Amino acid sequence: MSETQNKAAVTDADYAECAVPKESRRSIVTMFMIMLGFTFFSASMWVGQELADGLDFGGFIGALILGGVILGLYTGLLGYVGGKTGLSLDLLAQKAFGTKGSYLPSAMISLTQIGWFGVGIAMFAIPVANELLGGSTTAEWVLVIIAGICMTASAYFGIKSLTIISYIAVPLVAVLGTAAMVLAVKRGDGTIVEQFAKSSGSLTVIGGAGLVVGSFVSGGSATPNFTRFAKNGTVGAVTTVVAFFIGNSLMFFFGAVSSIFVGGNDIFEVMINLNLFYLAVLVLGLNIWTTNDNALYSAGLGLANIFHQKKKPMVLISGVVGTVASVWLYYNFCNWLNILNCTLPPVGIILVFGYFMHKEDYVDGVKNTKVVDWFAVLGVVLGAVVANLVNWGIASINGMVVAAVCYFIGQAVNKK
């Protein structure tokens, strides 16, 4: 371990300012649990509802597979780079975008993750307050504050607490949610295939795959923040691809079953319909918690890079902002967050190509002298614009292609 790493290790067990050393890497089981818990997010169930409403069962499975392959390829590459280098998204961005150029991707990831953190808190507090206390505003805010404190605390204490939460939540959500889904199907009028056949048919498989990719591509861009703790690049890639495919697919099924059997978009509503209120609250809370603490953790790392502060106080600030703004974010910001989702894939693809084209710059001890790579910055800006304005194809892929072309042009120009 270098002198810099030794100093960082004493003060920061999460290695926000340096690569994670080999002796601090986690087992493949731990990495799988962390990455699986990361995908357990109720917003993905909304996509499951859209898929169920617009596709038959065969189309639904086709969209899951096609979207899963695309999302798996993207996040798997990021998982490999994170595991291979031991660097967070923000440290990788310093290499690809420059020390000050990295502020752009750090700001983007922080803004989106704080936003989704706030939305997640409200997604827990609002339905629970409605079911438990008749929609009382006071009860709603009490739940918002309690959830915000708990989720911020787990992100504050870093990878260790994230691991503990994942080991508790992942099995419970998977088992209880699946059991509720099976019970709903058994009590329904006809098989799940027959129920899917009643969909409007308004979606194509390609359109559905686009929804699958878009549902988690922004969160997936933060993959290196967690896979840097993997034993190596292969473990980082494999655990990411497998966990993301299983976790996202499970969330889509939860949302689809909720839609076709109880007319909702969340397994919480299915469990309420089955008179399993307390289990429903448990599953909803844990489901959101496993993603929210990961989101806040990423936001803290991003803000630490921008303001040159320690991660922990940045996590606290992010948690306070997300908690205070949660209800407003839930009702006013979801559409903006979906727009911002399209801005992050260009960042991720540049991080991937930056590593594979310049591996020599990622060796421990190599000083980073680049201040701003303007072609990388331009790639992100143009990629985001194209992803949001071009209606053809899959938005995130369009953005990545444009960003990659800009980056390649920049590398060619810089060589001359």
Side-chain angles (χ1 to χ4, degrees), residues 194-217:
E194 292 169 340
Q195 291 296 321
F196 263 97
K198 298 176 182 179
S199 73
S200 65
S202 57
L203 268 180
T204 64
V205 172
I206 298 296
L211 291 174
V212 169
V213 174
S215 69
F216 206 71
V217 74

Side-chain angles (χ1 to χ4, degrees), residues 1-5 18-19 360-367:
M1 191 189 298
S2 68
E3 185 179 348
T4 301
Q5 286 178 318
C18 64
E360 67 279 2
D361 294 339
Y362 294 76
V363 177
D364 185 32
V366 174
K367 188 175 181 180

Side-chain angles (χ1 to χ4, degrees), residues 367-410:
K367 188 175 181 180
N368 187 24
T369 58
K370 187 188 303 182
V371 179
V372 179
D373 187 319
W374 290 108
F375 283 94
V377 171
L378 181 63
V380 170
V381 173
L382 291 180
V385 170
V386 169
N388 280 291
L389 297 182
V390 175
N391 295 322
W392 178 86
I394 296 176
S396 54
I397 294 179
N398 296 340
M400 284 191 274
V401 170
V402 171
V405 170
C406 286
Y407 186 71
F408 288 149
I409 291 173

Side-chain angles (χ1 to χ4, degrees), residues 105-163:
S106 290
M108 290 163 59
I109 197 73
S110 297
L111 178 61
T112 54
Q113 297 310 295
I114 292 172
W116 281 119
F117 172 82
V119 170
I121 291 176
M123 289 175 67
F124 169 76
I126 292 172
V128 173
N130 286 339
E131 290 291 336
L132 190 62
L133 295 165
S136 162
T137 302
T138 301
E140 190 177 285
W141 275 103
V142 167
L143 291 171
V144 163
I145 293 169
I146 292 173
I149 290 172
C150 292
M151 295 174 188
T152 300
S154 62
Y156 177 86
F157 290 110
I159 195 68
K160 290 183 179 180
S161 58
L162 265 61
T163 301

Side-chain angles (χ1 to χ4, degrees), residues 308-362:
H308 304 286
Q309 300 294 321
K310 297 297 182 184
K311 175 189 69 70
K312 286 186 174 182
M314 295 297 100
V315 167
L316 287 179
I317 291 171
S318 301
V320 170
V321 171
T323 301
V324 171
S326 60
V327 176
W328 181 86
L329 288 167
Y330 180 81
Y331 287 114
N332 297 282
F333 204 55
C334 283
N335 288 336
W336 283 105
L337 284 170
N338 286 325
I339 291 173
L340 290 169
N341 279 351
C342 295
T343 67
L344 287 171
V347 169
I349 204 66
I350 288 176
L351 297 185
V352 169
F353 285 125
Y355 169 74
F356 283 107
M357 295 175 72
H358 302 284
K359 289 183 180 181
E360 67 279 2
D361 294 339
Y362 294 76

Side-chain angles (χ1 to χ4, degrees), residues 5 23 77 84 118 172 197 211 240 262 281 297 324 340 380 405:
Q5 286 178 318
E23 59 268 26
L77 287 169
K84 185 71 174 178
L172 283 172
L211 291 174
T240 296
V262 300
V281 173
Y297 181 83
V324 171
L340 290 169
V380 170
V405 170

Side-chain angles (χ1 to χ4, degrees), residues 229-250:
F229 287 95
K231 292 292 185 183
N232 52 54
T234 301
V235 172
V238 171
T239 52
T240 296
V241 172
V242 175
F244 278 24
F245 185 80
I246 292 174
N248 278 318
S249 296
L250 196 59

